[in-house]
Amino acid sequence: MSRLLEHDYIGLAEKPSMEISEKSSHLNLNLKETELRLGLPGSESPERKPTNLISLFGKDLRNTNALKNLVAGSKRGFSDDAVVDFEGKINNTHKASQSAKPKQDKKPEISETNDHVSPPSSKEQVVGWPPIRSFRRNTMACSLIKNKDDDEEEERKPSEASGFLYVKVSMDGAPYLRKVDLRMYTNYMQLSSALEQMFTCFTIGECNSGGFPGKDGLSESSLRDLLHVSVHVVTYEDKDGDWMLVGDVPWEMFTESCRRLRIMKGSEAIGLAPRAMEKKGWSHNNNCRRIK
Amino acid sequence: MPRIAYAFPDEVLEHVFSFIHSDQDRNAISLVCKSWYEIERWCRRSIFVGNCYAVSPVMVVKRFPKLRSISLKGKPHFADFNLVPEDWGGYACPWIEAMASAYPWLEEIRLKRMVLTDESLELISKSFKNFQVLVLSSCEGFSTDGLAAIAANCRNLRELDLRESEVEDLSGHWLSQFPDSFTSLVSLNISCLGSEVSTCALERLLAGCPNLQSLRLNRAVPLEKLVNLLGRSPNLVELGTGAYTSEMQPDVFSDLSRAFVGCKQLKSLSGFWDAMPYYLPAVYPISSRLTSLNLSYATTESPYLVKLVSECRNLQRLWVMDYIEDSGLEALAVSCKDLRELRVFPSDPFGLEPNVALTERGLVSVSEGCPELQSVLYFCRQMSNAALVTIARNRPNMTRFRLCIIEPRKPDYLTLQPLDAGFGAIVEHCKNLRRLSLSGLLTDRVFEYIGSYGKKLEMLSVAFAGDSDLGLHYVLSGCDNLRKLEVRDCPFGDKALLANAAKLETMRSLWMSSCNVSFGACKLLGQKMPRLNVEVIIDERGPPDSMPESCLVEKLYIYRTVAGPRMDMPGFVWRMEGDSALRVS
């Protein structure tokens, strides 16, 4: 199999764009390194440098599109730790093949990272993975709850599951809605961190007042400062059509009555608080949920 | 050379064409010459539009004035997994409106992944006097009010199938809207509905419809009621139960069993929500008749599932949860020699540790024992190259192979190598493979194999795989019959995309999300390929004009079209054209 040569198939390369040619040369370098040779499946070419695989995901990309990829990384549900985990795996895979290292080296590292990354009971979820249709996810979630009921031997009326447990989430200023499956979480903390993951990118965009960060990017510390400045509050519309602050009621009651979520700016939510207080005797300090 | 085409009058040609039903053949006929094109378009009765944005309703109506049946697909497949934002598009309304005025004799509408409103349903119910078939697959945007209009007005309705649609369930009363005189129902699938439907209304409906062959109930229909319903529909071929659970009562059990036996044509069973082991044996008396069994919602433990499945010697299709475990699949391989399709779904996809003893061994057993196996969807937590090679060698007749190893980028658990060789063997040996989904740790090499061997491949789904643009290039340049490619979280970028731009016009669509495609490349592609819609979904609010060229695009959807830019793009979707992104609002 020949390696990828620069054929100008339909004259697309004629535009002398700085960025594109820069990127091309960057890619050319990597392509050469990942050039495929004929070999038995499972064998590794000794000259192949594992670091190039990492550079595509890790540092090089981060330098050229510093902020964007930082955002992109978190948007895609990959915490920094998860990326490290992936890199760790790749490193060890190559080591294993090249020097026939025993497998034990891999396990402690991975399990350590896993413990660090995810809480014991649930995995950090990547959006849309594993690829299970919403209908099936909702149905299974109902079954899971029903089984829990059986275990606890509680008299629970069968949930009036409307067949779908996804609720729409809108965020003020974000260009599009998302959907979250409330039954995938068991408490407010999990929901909060999922929402944070989903919508962090919008917060950053807002911080920059619609403009884009330059190539220099923002340093991580100044970024964190900006995130703290812009405070958002999560609210929900309940069965009666009223907008409430998330966190007022026990989790199970919340999932049963929540019809949609809205993440609004802290300043706008101030008007909400008195109504919520009237309705449920809300306590300010404990129950207000914010995302950074 | 005599002009043979003109020797036949049009009516004769039309009569000949009426025997030809496949879309591909019809399309081929229309390309022979102008007169054949004309004759063919006037007598085409049924069309399939795989991407509702590839063509406009106006164009369809203009070309085919006498359609009786239309199928449309809207959103990209990855919308099923929550990757496509809300309000992306796929609206059926313009189509329904165009057809309402152009086709008073329209009989069938089939929609998949589209957004449909109650108003459209009402329009359907009032515009087509002989309307017979409505299939809404994974659709949304409508409520039971719209269904009420269909029930009330479509006097000749034969099929109402709501498979996996998201219906706003206002009440179960819509079913009562079928008039007493209604007799034509052949197929009813309401399995996706959440709220209770009146059993009386159901019973009345079934009593009036002697030709009912397919009935799929929803979870809310209790097991006790199932007996009565079965009694009223003795000609059922397919049944979807409601919740398959109840207090353990011997008379309910025997009534149920008798009811199953009473439906002498019954061949396919589904539903089985929360299936209790106590009631599964009620199926045994008819088990040898069953060719299709969907236990994918049965959260029952292995031994009971295995017993049932082993009884069904003539099974051709089995959908089941991984509770069946390797041992169950081994039993399946021994008992069900006619098995054509197997789907195994995960019971705990988000758990960290495996909760059941289901591994690659189960699939290997089935591949060894079932010579007719052609279609596989398998979720598991470990796989090896050796297993995949064995499966490939056992089943070269495989046409659809979708493997989902739950943890992304997981290598061969025995050797810690990428699974390139295993999937390579699949494409190499299964020469008629049409659909493939990959998972596990994969390098560019697997795509080299796919490009070399996957000559019949039509649809490929890729996630967390590959090392570089080479991967994408191999697929786009090698897979001659590729129609749909969907990619997420792979390091595929500009180079391969631009180098294979012409290929994109031969495909229905390409979806790429969380890859390395730059904004500049999208603009270039959109500029050079006017017959593609290059749509990017961006997270920032403003127009992408200010976006630097090298900025990566989060989601990209490219599809060929003769209809130009679509008019209904939401604010976060931008069509790439020329030097600046274009939106027609």
Side-chain angles (χ1 to χ4, degrees), chain A residues 26-282:
Chain A
H26 170 76
L27 279 172
N28 259 336
L29 231 81
N30 286 331
L31 281 170
K32 195 161 163 62
E33 294 298 339
T34 58
E35 174 192 346
L36 284 165
R37 325 256 166 95
L38 290 176
L40 294 171
S43 65
E44 283 295 353
S45 170
E47 308 111 69
R48 197 189 291 263
K49 293 174 197 153
T51 49
N52 274 322
L53 290 169
I54 296 167
S55 74
L56 282 171
F57 285 97
K59 294 175 187 135
D60 287 0
L61 273 182
R62 279 190 185 154
N63 287 335
T64 49
N65 291 300
L67 189 67
K68 182 71 183 175
N69 281 310
L70 196 66
V71 169
S74 57
K75 246 190 313 186
R76 294 167 199 182
F78 281 68
S79 71
D80 283 354
D81 293 317
V83 175
V84 167
D85 182 44
F86 164 64
E87 289 176 358
K89 272 186 191 168
I90 283 294
N91 267 326
N92 284 314
T93 309
H94 281 270
K95 277 183 195 158
S97 61
Q98 283 175 11
S99 54
K101 237 178 182 182
K103 292 176 200 172
Q104 289 93 315
D105 281 349
K106 183 175 179 293
K107 282 177 186 162
E109 190 165 328
I110 297 301
S111 58
E112 195 189 322
T113 328
N114 271 342
D115 287 340
H116 181 61
V117 167
S118 29
S121 57
S122 70
K123 201 178 168 103
E124 181 175 297
Q125 283 183 42
V126 176
V127 174
W129 190 266
I132 299 170
R133 281 191 179 176
S134 323
F135 181 77
R136 177 168 295 279
R137 284 171 68 142
N138 295 341
T139 307
M140 276 164 45
C142 283
S143 297
L144 223 63
I145 287 183
K146 284 195 167 148
N147 287 339
K148 274 193 199 150
D149 291 353
D150 292 340
D151 290 343
E152 292 161 4
E153 286 175 7
E154 265 183 332
E155 260 305 315
R156 277 228 185 122
K157 63 174 188 238
S159 55
E160 304 161 60
S162 53
F164 46 97
L165 299 135
Y166 278 100
V167 295
K168 295 189 181 183
V169 191
S170 61
M171 173 161 158
D172 291 356
Y176 56 80
L177 301 178
R178 298 296 293 267
K179 268 182 169 174
V180 283
D181 180 0
L182 288 183
R183 305 256 187 210
M184 285 298 132
Y185 313 106
T186 54
N187 57 48
Y188 285 113
M189 283 295 291
Q190 287 179 8
L191 174 65
S192 173
S193 71
L195 288 176
E196 196 172 342
Q197 247 174 38
M198 240 183 248
F199 286 99
T200 309
C201 50
F202 304 138
T203 314
I204 289 173
E206 196 172 60
C207 289
N208 286 300
S209 319
F212 286 87
K215 286 242 163 122
D216 307 320
L218 293 168
S219 67
E220 284 199 35
S221 55
S222 60
L223 179 63
R224 283 206 200 94
D225 292 338
L226 273 173
L227 288 172
H228 277 294
V229 161
S230 169
V231 172
H232 290 76
V233 171
V234 187
T235 62
Y236 72 102
E237 184 184 15
D238 70 4
K239 274 195 229 172
D240 305 326
D242 295 321
W243 286 91
M244 319 283 298
L245 277 173
V246 164
D248 283 358
V249 300
W251 174 257
E252 288 75 19
M253 205 182 298
F254 165 69
T255 55
E256 273 170 32
S257 62
C258 173
R259 290 183 63 183
R260 61 200 324 221
L261 289 166
R262 182 177 160 204
I263 303 168
M264 48 170 74
K265 290 186 203 152
S267 48
E268 284 185 35
I270 289 172
L272 193 63
R275 273 174 59 204
M277 277 171 75
E278 277 164 28
K279 197 157 179 173
K280 299 258 167 130
W282 171 78

Side-chain angles (χ1 to χ4, degrees), chain A residues 56 75 89 103 133 173, chain B residues 164 407 414 467 474 539 541:
Chain A
L56 282 171
K75 246 190 313 186
K89 272 186 191 168
K103 292 176 200 172
R133 281 191 179 176
Chain B
E164 298 192 346
E407 193 184 321
L414 294 169
D467 311 316
Y474 284 137
D539 295 324
R541 282 160 302 138

Side-chain angles (χ1 to χ4, degrees), chain B residues 463-475:
Chain B
F464 308 105
D467 311 316
S468 75
D469 266 351
L470 267 179
L472 181 59
H473 174 69
Y474 284 137
V475 170

Side-chain angles (χ1 to χ4, degrees), chain A residues 1-4 6-7 9-12 14-15 17 19-20 23-24 27-28 31 34-44 48 53 56-57 61 65 68-69 72 75-76 78 86 89-90 93 96-97 103 106 118-123 125-140 142-144 146-147 161-164 166 168 173-180 184 201-202 205-206 209-210 212 215 259, chain B residues 80-83 85-87 112-113 138 140 164 166-169 191-192 194-195 219 273-274 296-297 299 319 321 345-347 349-352 379 404-409 411 413-418 421 438-439 441 444-445 448-449 452 463-464 466-470 473-474 488-489 491 494-495 498-499 501-502 514-516 518 520-521 524 527-529 537-541 546-552 554-555 572 579:
Chain A
M1 196 76 186
S2 62
R3 71 197 132 114
L4 182 65
E6 277 227 62
H7 289 300
Y9 286 105
I10 54 167
L12 289 172
E14 67 205 15
K15 190 173 178 190
S17 159
E19 287 93 353
I20 289 183
K23 203 168 192 327
S24 304
L27 279 172
N28 259 336
L31 281 170
T34 58
E35 174 192 346
L36 284 165
R37 325 256 166 95
L38 290 176
L40 294 171
S43 65
E44 283 295 353
R48 197 189 291 263
L53 290 169
L56 282 171
F57 285 97
L61 273 182
N65 291 300
K68 182 71 183 175
N69 281 310
K75 246 190 313 186
R76 294 167 199 182
F78 281 68
F86 164 64
K89 272 186 191 168
I90 283 294
T93 309
S97 61
K103 292 176 200 172
K106 183 175 179 293
S118 29
S121 57
S122 70
K123 201 178 168 103
Q125 283 183 42
V126 176
V127 174
W129 190 266
I132 299 170
R133 281 191 179 176
S134 323
F135 181 77
R136 177 168 295 279
R137 284 171 68 142
N138 295 341
T139 307
M140 276 164 45
C142 283
S143 297
L144 223 63
K146 284 195 167 148
N147 287 339
S162 53
F164 46 97
Y166 278 100
K168 295 189 181 183
Y176 56 80
L177 301 178
R178 298 296 293 267
K179 268 182 169 174
V180 283
M184 285 298 132
C201 50
F202 304 138
E206 196 172 60
S209 319
F212 286 87
K215 286 242 163 122
R259 290 183 63 183
Chain B
D80 284 349
F81 315 128
N82 219 15
L83 285 173
E86 290 298 294
D87 305 325
K112 186 166 186 177
R113 262 180 245 117
S138 302
E140 57 170 351
E164 298 192 346
E166 213 175 280
V167 184
E168 198 183 335
D169 222 324
S191 55
C192 62
S195 64
R219 195 177 192 167
W273 283 287
D274 317 310
S296 64
Y297 295 108
T299 50
W319 293 19
M321 290 195 85
F345 296 94
S347 52
F350 305 109
L352 282 178
F379 284 82
C404 178
I405 302 162
I406 287 177
E407 193 184 321
R409 299 196 184 91
Y413 78 100
L414 294 169
T415 65
L416 297 185
Q417 296 296 306
L438 305 173
S439 58
L441 183 65
D444 284 343
R445 181 166 281 163
E448 185 183 358
Y449 293 141
S452 304
F464 308 105
D467 311 316
S468 75
D469 266 351
L470 267 179
H473 174 69
Y474 284 137
R488 62 163 297 177
D489 293 277
D494 302 344
K495 218 169 162 54
L498 293 174
S514 306
C515 296
N516 290 354
S518 76
L524 194 55
Q527 183 187 6
K528 292 290 177 180
M529 308 291 292
I537 294 176
I538 56 168
D539 295 324
E540 283 70 27
R541 282 160 302 138
S546 50
M547 212 189 266
E549 300 275 306
S550 56
C551 198
L552 294 187
E554 181 58 29
K555 294 178 194 201
F572 50 86
D579 284 330

Side-chain angles (χ1 to χ4, degrees), chain B residues 310-328:
Chain B
S310 307
E311 298 270 326
C312 301
R313 311 247 150 202
N314 292 310
L315 212 55
Q316 293 176 13
R317 182 196 301 152
L318 176 66
W319 293 19
V320 71
M321 290 195 85
D322 58 6
Y323 290 125
I324 197 169
E325 299 191 331
D326 288 338
S327 53

Side-chain angles (χ1 to χ4, degrees), chain B residues 108-304:
Chain B
E108 304 179 358
I109 294 176
R110 293 179 172 85
L111 305 177
K112 186 166 186 177
R113 262 180 245 117
M114 294 193 79
V115 178
L116 183 68
T117 59
D118 286 343
E119 288 74 26
S120 292
L121 282 170
E122 202 172 323
L123 191 58
I124 290 172
S125 75
K126 299 204 166 130
S127 309
F128 308 118
K129 301 299 166 205
N130 196 27
F131 193 68
Q132 298 176 19
V133 172
L134 183 63
V135 177
L136 302 175
S137 181
S138 302
C139 294
E140 57 170 351
F142 60 102
S143 77
T144 42
D145 285 352
L147 297 178
I150 296 285
N153 299 319
C154 299
R155 298 301 157 108
N156 294 318
L157 194 68
R158 283 191 297 118
E159 263 184 65
L160 179 60
D161 185 342
L162 304 175
R163 54 181 89 153
E164 298 192 346
S165 288
E166 213 175 280
V167 184
E168 198 183 335
D169 222 324
L170 301 173
S171 89
H173 293 137
W174 66 274
L175 207 67
S176 317
Q177 297 299 309
F178 282 109
D180 289 335
S181 55
F182 182 69
T183 58
S184 49
L185 203 61
V186 172
S187 169
L188 180 66
N189 179 357
I190 54 169
S191 55
C192 62
L193 296 182
S195 64
E196 276 184 47
V197 289
S198 145
T199 329
C200 288
L202 258 179
E203 283 176 10
R204 188 167 56 83
L205 180 64
L206 299 187
C209 296
N211 298 318
L212 192 70
Q213 287 180 4
S214 173
L215 177 64
R216 298 203 151 107
L217 303 166
N218 63 339
R219 195 177 192 167
V221 175
L223 196 57
E224 300 83 6
K225 304 282 183 178
L226 185 60
V227 176
N228 293 344
L229 295 170
L230 284 177
R232 278 159 213 266
S233 27
N235 295 322
L236 277 188
V237 175
E238 290 177 345
L239 171 71
T241 72
Y244 203 73
T245 177
S246 177
E247 282 177 24
M248 304 201 288
Q249 295 166 317
D251 43 351
V252 172
F253 181 98
S254 51
D255 285 345
L256 188 60
S257 210
R258 212 173 302 125
F260 281 140
V261 171
C263 296
K264 301 204 182 300
Q265 314 293 328
L266 200 52
K267 285 206 215 105
S268 162
L269 290 180
S270 59
F272 292 109
W273 283 287
D274 317 310
M276 279 179 69
Y278 179 79
Y279 282 107
L280 281 179
V283 175
Y284 291 174
I286 61 163
S287 53
S288 57
R289 275 199 250 135
L290 294 179
T291 56
S292 170
L293 195 53
N294 181 350
L295 293 167
S296 64
Y297 295 108
T299 50
T300 325
E301 279 160 33
S302 178
Y304 309 103

Side-chain angles (χ1 to χ4, degrees), chain A residues 274-291:
Chain A
R275 273 174 59 204
M277 277 171 75
E278 277 164 28
K279 197 157 179 173
K280 299 258 167 130
W282 171 78
S283 149
H284 176 90
N285 290 329
N286 298 336
N287 294 329
C288 188
R289 288 281 176 267
R290 289 160 186 240
I291 67 167

